[in-house]
Amino acid sequence: MPPWRMSRTFPGSPVAIAEARRFVTAFLRRWPGVDDAELIVSELATNAVRHSASGRFGGCFTVSIQIDRDKVWLGVLDQGGPRIPRPLPPPLDGEGGRGLTLVAGLAMNWGVTGDSGGRIVWASMDLAPYKVSPR
């Protein structure tokens, strides 16, 4: 059976981050780990809007989901920027700076592809640990 794929493009605004979360929960509603997938996409979409050209006037970002058996791949395509996304030590004061560290903790793997013209920040999840074993 081929993997299931779905993508949707959103305006590059903070309001669209909530729409991106709803997109993920609607598509994955019956899958284990949907809450973690929603949080991962929320963090990646937030970074796209805050730290890339996607957050400029007229900008956008695209969320992609691929499901293959017990694996889910989540990606957020942004419109690029001057810095490569990477986890940073969280600041002692303030609420930002924890997103990619959180993604790394929830995902089996994650990474960045692309360049300053546009990047996909992605995470993959192994859904097997979420499955409830019979007693």
Side-chain angles (χ1 to χ4, degrees):
M1 184 164 142
W4 296 351
R5 293 183 179 129
M6 177 69 70
S7 294
R8 183 171 164 203
T9 300
F10 300 88
S13 72
V15 173
I17 297 165
E19 288 297 318
R21 285 195 307 263
R22 281 190 283 276
F23 168 68
V24 170
T25 57
F27 190 71
L28 298 176
R29 69 181 167 267
R30 292 198 172 114
W31 284 78
V34 65
D35 293 335
D36 288 349
E38 177 187 22
L39 184 53
I40 287 170
V41 167
S42 180
E43 294 298 332
L44 297 182
T46 298
N47 285 350
V49 170
R50 286 187 181 168
H51 304 296
S52 81
S54 294
R56 294 183 186 154
F57 180 78
C60 63
F61 65 92
T62 301
V63 175
S64 297
I65 304 167
Q66 180 174 310
I67 302 170
D68 190 7
R69 296 184 189 174
D70 59 353
K71 306 271 189 273
V72 171
W73 183 92
L74 306 161
V76 174
L77 170 65
D78 66 36
Q79 294 180 309
R83 294 187 302 245
I84 297 171
R86 61 187 171 95
L88 300 171
L92 297 176
D93 57 347
E95 296 183 21
R98 294 172 182 83
L100 288 178
T101 301
L102 181 63
V103 169
L106 294 172
M108 180 176 63
N109 293 306
W110 77 277
V112 180
T113 59
D115 57 26
S116 61
R119 292 188 178 90
I120 298 174
V121 183
W122 59 269
S124 63
M125 297 174 59
D126 180 0
L127 296 179
Y130 294 94
K131 294 180 181 173
V132 177
S133 59
R135 293 186 182 195

